[in-house]
Amino acid sequence: MKISKLNVYPVKSLGGIGLEQATLGVRGLAYDRHWMVVDQVGRFVTQRQLPGMARVSVRLESDWLVLEHPEAKPLAIELASRDRPRLTAYVWDDACQALDEGAEASDWLTAVLGDLRGSSLRLVRFDEEHRRPVESRYLQGEEAHTAFADGYPFLIASQASLDALNRNLAQKGLAPLPMNRFRPNIVLEGAHGFAEDGWSEVAAHDGRYRFGLRKPCQRCKITTVDQASGTIDTPGEPLQTLIEMKTQPLRPGAYFGQNATLLGGAGESLAVGDELQVGQ
């Protein structure tokens, strides 16, 4: 079994970046979900409300975060920390300390995405000094925290699981879906479909890093959004098919992939092609 793809999503719900290698941190891959779009009261905004967010692509340069959209000039944000207004940003029920990236970023996002219920949009970055813990009831003795991800620092998915889903979609006459519908950080190949749902750990073959697979990922309507066009072509899919497949027989809803924590290896790098093994 090995890593076939690595992805980082610097701005929550905007475009992802495919990587050949990445640095592991306790909060996730470097820069993953380090920024977020919020409304005027600091509430997080995602493709659930604005599917067109998928059309905003993201680049990381040596000193800049760059956002691009077909209908606007690129927006560049300095990677280096500097004094910025502080505010409270909300991800689900979590109140997070954040830094406001300013009026230019707000105007740019509102222009390309539109307002949300009359509210302009703002770009905020995660305050490095803030600690947002992972829900403790799913942990197994470790401590874990994350940035602006929905709840966990890593999302791990299997190519074989996607292949199984696509076979079921094909039986309905539906087109196969790419992995980007599920926005994972780490994609594995070489395991059986949905085998990851029975693992508690997965580790580098040489032991440099270990992940704890802690909670099946319940999927939402973002999986119905075409990540290239920002549109919903087949409402309800693949959610309905995942429900029918009963990938988590004891849980209601649609599930795909595993939320994970880092059990060891902070500061190590991982790369496409790394060999992995299931932990004990």
Side-chain angles (χ1 to χ4, degrees):
M1 186 170 65
K2 62 183 179 180
I3 296 175
S4 60
K5 294 178 183 176
L6 289 172
N7 301 294
V8 64
Y9 307 89
V11 184
K12 185 179 181 68
S13 232
L14 300 190
I17 302 172
L19 303 172
E20 288 300 312
Q21 65 177 28
T23 301
L24 285 167
V26 176
R27 281 201 297 259
L29 301 183
Y31 290 113
D32 190 56
R33 276 84 169 195
H34 192 64
W35 287 267
M36 182 169 68
V37 180
V38 300
D39 62 16
Q40 285 180 323
V41 297
R43 189 76 181 166
F44 74 133
V45 177
T46 73
Q47 293 179 34
R48 299 174 185 91
Q49 298 93 3
L50 296 175
M53 292 176 74
R55 298 182 67 208
V56 181
S57 60
V58 179
R59 287 189 287 114
L60 283 171
E61 299 184 349
S62 57
D63 297 317
W64 302 92
L65 168 76
V66 181
L67 307 187
E68 296 177 300
H69 187 276
E71 299 169 9
K73 294 181 179 179
L75 172 72
I77 302 291
E78 286 185 75
L79 293 183
S81 296
R82 55 183 176 83
D83 289 338
R84 293 173 173 84
R86 294 180 180 271
L87 55 81
T88 301
Y90 299 90
V91 183
W92 302 116
D93 294 329
D94 292 341
C96 307
Q97 294 306 301
L99 307 176
D100 191 336
E101 294 290 8
E104 181 183 5
S106 174
D107 292 345
W108 191 92
L109 287 168
T110 306
V112 301
L113 296 174
D115 60 22
L116 183 65
R117 298 184 296 273
S119 173
S120 60
L121 304 175
R122 304 196 72 81
L123 182 67
V124 299
R125 80 166 66 194
F126 193 81
D127 185 345
E128 298 273 6
E129 298 178 1
H130 179 67
R131 187 180 179 93
R132 181 183 168 220
V134 169
E135 51 191 353
S136 60
R137 62 180 172 145
Y138 291 100
L139 302 182
Q140 298 179 21
E142 78 271 25
E143 292 185 357
H145 55 101
T146 188
F148 288 138
D150 271 3
Y152 285 77
F154 301 94
L155 179 60
I156 298 176
S158 164
Q159 182 61 45
S161 301
L162 179 63
D163 294 343
L165 169 61
N166 281 332
R167 286 193 293 271
N168 281 266
L169 291 172
Q171 291 175 5
K172 296 182 172 183
L174 299 175
L177 298 179
M179 185 63 84
N180 67 8
R181 287 290 185 99
F182 300 94
R183 300 173 66 84
N185 297 115
I186 301 168
V187 181
L188 312 179
E189 65 177 25
H192 297 297
F194 296 99
E196 64 275 15
D197 291 342
W199 303 341
S200 62
E201 292 187 19
V202 65
H205 188 70
D206 60 9
R208 289 183 299 112
Y209 52 80
R210 294 187 302 130
F211 298 100
L213 280 63
R214 294 298 179 247
K215 185 183 180 184
C217 186
Q218 185 170 11
R219 309 315 304 219
C220 68
K221 66 183 291 186
I222 291 178
T223 61
T224 70
V225 179
D226 185 313
Q227 294 298 297
S229 66
T231 60
I232 299 174
D233 298 325
T234 309
E237 289 292 1
L239 296 174
Q240 184 59 42
T241 299
L242 284 170
I243 291 171
E244 294 164 0
M245 291 173 69
K246 296 182 178 179
T247 61
Q248 291 287 322
L250 301 180
R251 298 171 183 261
Y255 292 84
F256 185 94
Q258 285 281 332
N259 291 299
T261 64
L262 188 67
L263 300 180
E268 293 281 351
S269 62
L270 73 171
V272 171
D274 280 4
E275 294 187 3
L276 304 175
Q277 60 188 13
V278 177
Q280 300 301 317

